[in-house]
Amino acid sequence: MNITNLRKEMEEELVGNILPFWLNKMTDKANGGFYGRISGTGILMPETEKGAVLNARILWTFSAAYRTSGCEQYLATAT
């Protein structure tokens, strides 16, 4: 696999799987931020404490995704 294909594959994984997962399953719309835990079977555990490091990493990720893609949804999520 060459670097161009690897980059495309990684971008598709990020845009098609990773970012939508955090947007659709882990965003705490009631209290802001992101939930800290989900089971391996997809059961959300909203009572779990939120971690500052986890939320900072997700904030950075959506900020970087917006800067590189210009997608307004990423900006809204980071905001």
Side-chain angles (χ1 to χ4, degrees):
M1 176 179 290
N2 65 39
I3 193 75
T4 303
N5 290 344
L6 179 59
R7 178 185 169 102
K8 182 180 178 201
E9 189 175 312
M10 290 174 66
E11 188 174 326
E12 287 172 357
E13 182 67 19
L14 179 69
V15 173
N17 189 15
I18 296 169
L19 295 177
F21 171 81
W22 287 98
L23 280 168
N24 301 323
K25 294 188 183 274
M26 299 302 288
T27 302
D28 183 350
K29 292 176 177 37
N31 301 304
F34 297 88
Y35 294 111
R37 187 169 182 200
I38 192 169
S39 75
T41 58
I43 299 169
L44 184 63
M45 300 177 181
E47 70 282 353
T48 303
E49 289 187 31
K50 295 178 182 181
V53 173
L54 174 65
N55 276 263
R57 287 177 176 169
I58 298 167
L59 168 62
W60 180 90
T61 299
F62 278 101
S63 297
Y66 169 71
R67 282 193 315 272
T68 59
S69 72
C71 176
E72 292 294 326
Q73 186 177 23
Y74 300 157
L75 175 60
T77 301
T79 300

